[in-house]
Amino acid sequence: MAPHLDVPSPAGSFTTSFDRIPFRAATSSGVGRDSPASAESRSSLSSSFEGDSVDEDFHMTRPLIPGVYVPTMCFFDEETEDVDTNTIARHAVRLAEAGVTGIATQGSNGEAVHLTHTERELVTFTTRKALNEAGFSHIPVIVGCGAQSTRETIRYCSEAWEAGGDYALILPPSYYAPLFAPSSKTIEDYFVTVADASPIPIIIYNYPGAVNGLDLTSDVIINLAQHPKIVGVKLTCGNTGKLNRVVAATRKQTKNYDPDRPEFLVLGGSADFSIQSLIAGGHGILAGLANITPKSCIKTIELYKAGKYLEAQKVQEVVSQGDWVAIQGGVVGVKAGLQAWMGYGGYARSPLPKPTAEQTKSWKEGFKELVQLEKSL
């Protein structure tokens, strides 16, 4: 199947003007062309536009509302491994046209650890610009900004804002965790300091598997939620009891709670417990599976909210099975699924391996029932 045949191009959209991105890195990350020193010493994104200013709608207010958020992927040229901005743009618009609530760049699905500062800015800028030009300027862009030092985390937050990001998604530092102060003081100080300095609000990211098992308690999250610039949490820990405690406490802390626009957004971090998150009071999910089947993830939540619980459960069963395939294959498997079923995706950046023919066949078959559901919606 040709890439993106299922995505019609709106008139005047990014397909006719995207090659004119005023970012100097344009359509290639140029890993082999710039030394690390020269690439990383470039001036900030805001000063690298050529005769073109950032549109006003790059920094418009985009509230966080309940729904399905997607940690988007970063795509690369299969030969050079340079950042492929055209595919990044088309993928973002495909997700938006499917009805997702928001998009997150620079997560594990986005291979943030494989990107330089300059490339991270390029990916976020590309995503924001593509959404705007396709008529989706209302969709918020969340940017992964976690780092091991407070200083670099703040830098990532500033760069995220310059590139058009609306919120920063931040993992706690963990490399020196054995040296941290007791009772989570180091972690709390870290988030508060970053929130105070960041030009954009932040979302806490609790993912023990990515930070040497460091698992934030509900008490820590509830305490941090009182900061005016800490506006949400993504719970990939899968602990729905924790999710329920955080939702209940933050709801009580809100003077005039609005379920359609909560002051503190609580999201499940995986599609395989979408309904469970909603039952516990959560506001939705931020889940990588939606890169392949966004409509199925959305349908699960829509059915539950409509009170069609048995139908929601049936869809959740298919989504959960597909998510297990995605969890096992990671970013390599998800890209293989995209390539097999949507005609694009390519490979992860080295040193991640390219999938074998046997793996590709297995992952394609593993996603089959889910993709069939997706195509029926």
Side-chain angles (χ1 to χ4, degrees), residues 10-313:
S13 72
F14 65 90
T15 55
T16 60
S17 62
F18 200 80
D19 288 339
R20 299 197 302 272
I21 292 178
F23 187 82
R24 283 181 181 154
T27 58
S28 171
S29 60
V31 173
R33 300 176 182 83
D34 294 308
S35 68
S38 64
E40 292 307 302
S41 63
R42 290 174 181 167
S43 58
S44 65
L45 182 68
S46 60
S47 63
S48 59
F49 295 104
E50 297 175 347
D52 196 1
S53 60
V54 174
D55 296 335
E56 289 184 5
D57 56 2
F58 258 59
H59 296 306
M60 63 186 282
T61 300
R62 299 178 179 90
L64 293 173
I65 60 175
V68 173
Y69 293 76
V70 189
T72 189
M73 314 199 81
C74 184
F75 301 99
F76 304 102
D77 183 279
E78 292 186 12
E79 296 293 330
T80 65
E81 292 195 356
D82 289 349
V83 173
D84 179 357
T85 54
N86 288 327
T87 303
I88 290 169
R90 289 184 172 89
H91 183 63
V93 173
R94 171 180 168 258
L95 297 176
E97 290 184 332
V100 304
T101 307
I103 292 177
T105 62
Q106 316 311 332
S108 54
N109 280 278
E111 297 183 59
V113 296
H114 288 163
L115 305 178
T116 66
H117 279 260
T118 302
E119 288 175 325
R120 286 187 178 210
E121 289 187 88
L122 175 61
V123 171
T124 298
F125 176 78
T126 297
T127 302
R128 177 76 272 158
K129 186 173 179 66
L131 292 172
N132 288 3
E133 292 190 348
F136 298 102
S137 60
H138 65 284
I139 290 181
V141 173
I142 300 166
V143 185
C145 294
Q148 292 304 310
S149 74
T150 304
R151 183 185 183 93
E152 187 169 28
T153 303
I154 293 170
R155 177 184 173 186
Y156 275 132
C157 292
S158 297
E159 291 170 350
W161 179 84
E162 290 173 353
D166 301 292
Y167 301 89
L169 180 66
I170 299 178
L171 280 165
S174 61
Y175 189 85
Y176 290 115
L179 303 177
F180 287 175
S183 303
S184 301
K185 185 179 186 306
T186 299
I187 294 298
E188 292 191 31
D189 288 347
Y190 166 81
F191 277 105
V192 168
T193 302
V194 171
D196 286 342
S198 173
I200 52 179
I202 71 173
I203 299 169
I204 301 165
Y205 188 6
N206 189 54
Y207 182 14
V211 290
N212 296 325
L214 197 157
D215 190 2
L216 302 182
T217 67
S218 54
D219 292 339
V220 169
I221 296 169
I222 292 165
N223 188 39
L224 289 171
Q226 298 178 59
H227 192 290
K229 286 176 66 180
I230 299 179
V231 296
V233 64
K234 175 186 178 181
L235 294 171
T236 306
C237 56
N239 187 330
T240 53
K242 179 187 298 182
L243 186 150
N244 179 254
R245 290 190 294 274
V246 171
V247 170
T250 54
R251 183 172 59 237
K252 291 176 182 177
Q253 291 172 358
T254 304
K255 291 183 178 179
N256 297 301
Y257 181 76
D258 181 355
D260 295 322
R261 192 168 173 175
E263 291 184 11
F264 191 82
L265 193 76
V266 182
L267 299 173
S270 183
D272 63 359
F273 65 104
S274 300
I275 291 179
Q276 299 93 314
S277 295
L278 296 175
I279 292 172
H283 304 114
I285 58 172
L286 175 51
L289 185 67
N291 280 289
I292 299 180
T293 54
K295 293 179 182 178
S296 300
C297 294
I298 295 168
K299 191 67 172 179
T300 307
I301 290 178
E302 287 179 343
L303 287 171
Y304 178 83
K305 288 188 173 181
K308 300 178 180 179
Y309 304 125
L310 290 178
E311 291 181 51
Q313 184 178 355

